[in-house]
Amino acid sequence: MLPLLLAWLHAVNDLFSNFLTPLLPKLMAHFGVGLGTAGLLVSVYSLTGSLLQPLAGLIADRMDRRLLAALGPLLVALGMGSLGLWPRFELLLLVLGLAGLGSALFHASGASLVGEFAPRQRRGFWLSFFGSAGYLGLSLGPIVALFTVGAWGLSGLLWLTPLALLPALFLLRLPPVRRQGKPAGLGDFLRVFRGDVARLWGMATLRSLVFMSFATTLPYWYAQRGIPDVYTALSLSIYSFSATLGAFLGGTLSDHLGRKTVLVGTLTFGLPLYLGLLLFPPENPFYLALLAVTGALMNAGIPVAVALAQELEPHQTATVSGLLMGFTWGFAGLFYAPVGHLIEIYGVIPVLLALGSLILPAWLLARSVREPRKMGA
């Protein structure tokens, strides 16, 4: 019951989280600001929602994680649901900062609870189910946002908040969930940034930077080649859907094959597939199949890395979950601005090919991580 409820909340949390980008033109008109100023909304939400996740995990490891997992999506839903209700742009920035904090608290505490309450031999499956729910929410976010605003205006977004309120109330009816024993201190928090968990984080960040850069650059690359917008949208949709499927399959397979085996295997096959994406002509219909396989393979390792980190640090599951989820993507995202600048100077293919070399150190880091022994029956 608890993992299903948390998956529902994950889908809703990430559904609301993906409202901002498609609604930026309408928010620009609403507040009378330019794209650069409106982009601050995305930056504030992304930074608080991603880079604060390890600190949110430290809080979650010391408190009732059930309460935080319910509060987080509510803050996100109220922040995104009220986009059109604030009279001043500065107020909305503050509200979205709090919403981002809510997302950070949810991801750290939610993933921790799923990992703790799932059976050890099926932890990968349930974490992949939890992660796939988030991908589903992200993919539906722009559709739901644009349909709602088109029908009822920006203020109509507030009517969507019960999507988060109802599962949050169900979660609060369950018994409190607190970590047993002495809570983690600052020394314990800093310790996870060393050793195997730090190697996992380095591996995940390098992999995320490579494939985030590819997916973000794809529309620009297609436009340079004169590829129609419809084909671009289809390609992005296929990549997003395959990422959802890959995240689900990766954790499930790791329950049977081992976490480290799946991590190393996805990176081993990921490098030649990534090179194929850059060297094979995207106009060829078979390119979509290659894109789907690569998207699934490279996202399959995300829940696996979270499950392995939780097993390596069983007393700080929320902290390491935050480190391996949002903090990884947030940190990788910080580097895309210089990547984009380099692409403008040197071109798409040379820069993305150079980035592909980062998969090799990511592979070495994955190989160097120990896999904890399975607990006896």
Side-chain angles (χ1 to χ4, degrees), residues 5-375:
L5 202 53
L6 291 167
W8 180 2
L9 281 166
H10 195 190
V12 171
N13 185 93
D14 288 12
L15 173 87
F16 279 98
S17 294
N18 213 14
F19 279 9
L20 265 182
T21 302
L23 293 179
L24 276 183
K26 296 185 182 300
L27 290 171
M28 289 165 57
H30 180 75
F31 289 105
V33 297
L35 180 60
T37 303
L40 288 173
L41 297 172
V42 178
S43 298
V44 166
Y45 182 78
S46 298
L47 287 173
T48 55
S50 298
L51 297 183
L52 290 183
Q53 281 198 29
L55 288 173
L58 184 65
I59 295 171
D61 276 329
R62 304 172 71 91
M63 294 181 63
D64 180 0
R65 286 164 292 155
R66 172 195 57 105
L67 176 62
L68 296 178
L71 175 64
L74 277 179
L75 289 175
V76 176
L78 290 172
M80 296 298 176
S82 64
L83 287 176
L85 303 182
W86 301 99
R88 293 179 61 84
F89 183 83
E90 296 80 4
L91 286 174
L92 182 55
L93 279 176
L94 177 61
V95 168
L96 290 182
L98 292 173
L101 176 60
S103 183
L105 289 171
F106 169 75
H107 280 97
S109 56
S112 171
L113 286 172
V114 171
E116 183 172 332
F117 281 85
R120 168 67 178 80
Q121 66 275 16
R122 303 212 59 198
R123 180 176 289 150
F125 167 80
W126 282 111
L127 279 169
S128 63
F129 185 81
F130 175 79
S132 299
Y135 278 116
L136 179 62
L138 283 173
S139 61
L140 292 176
I143 300 171
V144 173
L146 291 171
F147 175 82
T148 303
V149 172
W152 299 289
L154 284 170
S155 59
L157 295 172
L158 197 62
W159 292 102
L160 299 175
T161 53
L163 291 173
L165 178 61
L166 292 176
L169 290 175
F170 283 132
L171 185 58
L172 291 176
R173 291 177 61 87
L174 300 178
V177 180
R178 289 187 176 88
R179 172 73 60 202
Q180 298 299 315
K182 182 181 178 182
L186 182 60
D188 300 308
F189 174 72
L190 295 176
R191 180 168 53 82
V192 304
F193 287 88
R194 302 190 297 271
D196 285 318
V197 174
R199 293 186 190 98
L200 277 175
W201 173 78
M203 176 276 300
T205 301
L206 291 173
R207 183 196 58 203
S208 298
L209 177 58
V210 173
F211 283 89
M212 178 189 294
S213 298
F214 171 78
T216 307
T217 306
L218 185 143
Y220 175 80
W221 182 37
Y222 276 20
Q224 280 190 331
R225 298 178 68 102
I227 295 175
D229 290 343
V230 173
Y231 191 81
T232 302
L234 178 62
S235 297
L236 290 173
S237 297
I238 288 174
Y239 184 83
S240 177
F241 178 77
S242 64
T244 305
L245 183 61
F248 178 74
L249 292 176
T252 305
L253 287 173
S254 74
D255 285 335
H256 304 284
L257 303 177
R259 315 282 186 228
K260 184 174 174 178
T261 300
V262 173
L263 280 180
V264 174
T266 55
L267 289 165
T268 300
F269 291 103
L271 179 55
L273 287 172
Y274 174 77
L275 294 176
L277 287 177
L278 299 178
L279 302 177
F280 197 69
E283 296 87 350
N284 191 306
F286 289 106
Y287 188 84
L288 295 178
L290 178 63
L291 187 67
V293 173
T294 309
L297 190 70
M298 294 314 298
N299 284 278
I302 295 174
V304 181
V306 175
L308 182 52
Q310 289 186 0
E311 290 162 3
L312 290 166
E313 291 288 347
H315 301 294
Q316 295 196 77
T317 55
T319 303
V320 297
S321 296
L323 182 67
L324 266 296
M325 293 176 71
F327 189 76
T328 293
W329 284 98
F331 198 82
L334 289 176
F335 285 94
Y336 183 70
V339 167
H341 184 61
L342 289 172
I343 286 173
E344 290 180 332
I345 298 174
Y346 299 107
V348 172
I349 299 302
V351 174
L352 292 186
L353 280 173
L355 276 177
S357 65
L358 296 178
I359 297 177
L360 293 174
W363 182 85
L364 291 172
L365 286 169
R367 288 266 300 174
S368 68
V369 174
R370 64 185 172 90
E371 188 156 14
R373 285 184 203 164
K374 294 185 178 180
M375 294 180 295

